Amino acid sequence: MTPPARPPLTPLEHDLAGLGRSLAGAPGEPVALPTRNDAVVVRVGDVVVKAHAPGTDPHALQARLAACARLRGIALPPLKTTVTWVGGRPVTLWPAGEPVDHADPDAAPWEDAARLLAALHAVPLRELPPLPPAGGPARLARTLARLDGDTTAEADAVRRAAARLPRVWEPPSGAGLTHGDWHLGQLVRHGNGWLLIDADDLGGGDQAWDLARPAAWFAAGLLDPEAWRRFLSAYRAAGGPALAGVADPWERLDLPARALAVQLAAGALATARRESRPIDEVETALVDACRRIAAL
């Protein structure tokens, strides 16, 4: 069967590909990679070029790049530690890695991911360039705003769940180094092992937020309990500070997990509305989780 033809590159993607060719060892055909709606990513050979969202603070991004360069063995180091500009967008350059195969959930590297997060969380903020706050709470607010104008019962359930969340998020005992938007898509295999990617939300914050997405999926019945157990056990065995000193991990995870359930449901509804389609089974489970949160 002939694979479907790739759509032609947009002007911005074409310019990013040109930048990638200048650094790639063996350039090859440029490929636009799937990503969030507000970012543009192109791979050229062994180089990945990312145009960050319009409005990205270049000074914060610069600090996050410098931090990644120091997080050897934990985060993928950038090819350049300075922000480049293309088409008025801040751009960063990275070595290409192999992402997690989402078509094979049984092979998902839950233990490796947990150990990487534990190692990241153990790095003192004072050892890195001054970083902005981690982006998790701000991402929640931005995603909820995408529901503006949606008057469906599902959107109402998500808003009612959001109303049950605290308006200010404070770490239980001071801010620690936090990825800010962690999920399995934020891992790539590079060199001898897995590394964290995507520094857009790296900063000081509540480290439990980094565990909240798989916690929310587990609570919504969308993550296999054994996968959740493996992830949680590996994080705790590695000394992960987000759960230090608590016998029950949900003492720290409950509120962040609720917040991520709301964020994921809001994003799912906004995407379904944009694509003019009904919500699917997974999206329905997230909305149902919001209904349970709203009823608490």
Side-chain angles (χ1 to χ4, degrees), residues 46-292:
D46 55 1
V47 172
V48 171
V49 188
K50 178 174 182 177
H52 296 258
T56 296
D57 181 341
H59 301 291
L61 181 59
Q62 182 69 60
R64 286 164 166 151
L65 275 180
C68 284
R70 297 190 190 185
L71 294 169
R72 295 286 177 175
I74 300 174
L76 187 71
L79 292 174
K80 289 187 174 183
T81 56
T82 55
V83 175
T84 304
W85 291 85
V86 174
R89 301 272 289 268
V91 169
T92 53
L93 299 110
W94 307 87
E98 176 191 349
V100 173
D101 183 1
H102 293 286
D104 187 8
D106 292 337
W110 288 109
E111 289 88 351
D112 292 291
R115 287 188 284 267
L116 278 173
L117 283 176
L120 179 81
H121 292 169
V123 176
L125 279 168
R126 64 179 178 275
E127 294 184 1
L128 299 173
L131 289 167
R139 180 178 298 282
L140 169 62
R142 290 197 304 271
T143 307
L144 280 169
R146 293 173 61 193
L147 291 183
D148 289 352
D150 189 332
T151 59
T152 61
E154 290 84 1
D156 181 62
V158 174
R159 293 191 190 95
R160 285 188 289 109
R164 300 300 301 269
L165 300 175
R167 294 189 178 275
V168 178
W169 292 89
E170 295 182 357
S173 57
L177 182 61
T178 306
H179 183 278
D181 184 32
W182 188 82
H183 50 82
L184 283 178
Q186 307 289 35
L187 288 176
V188 295
R189 186 186 291 279
H190 185 268
N192 296 322
W194 294 98
L195 294 172
L196 298 170
I197 62 169
D198 192 355
D200 293 64
D201 295 285
L202 187 73
D206 184 350
Q207 295 173 329
W209 200 275
D210 284 346
L211 313 182
R213 187 183 295 246
W217 279 74
F218 168 72
L222 296 170
L223 177 62
D224 176 64
E226 177 59 18
W228 170 244
R229 184 199 65 77
R230 288 165 49 202
F231 174 74
L232 203 60
S233 297
Y235 181 83
R236 301 194 81 167
L243 302 179
V246 294
D248 181 359
W250 289 99
E251 290 181 31
R252 297 276 173 81
L253 295 178
D254 184 58
L255 284 175
R258 292 188 207 179
L260 260 293
V262 171
Q263 175 187 311
L264 293 169
L269 291 181
T271 298
R273 182 175 62 174
R274 187 183 72 247
E275 296 175 353
S276 301
R277 60 168 176 81
I279 59 176
D280 62 24
E281 184 177 355
V282 170
E283 294 161 344
T284 298
L286 292 169
V287 173
D288 288 344
C290 288
R291 290 192 172 102
R292 292 194 294 272

Side-chain angles (χ1 to χ4, degrees), residues 32-45:
L33 302 179
T35 184
R36 298 196 309 260
N37 296 328
D38 53 2
V40 179
V41 181
V42 173
R43 176 172 179 169
V44 183

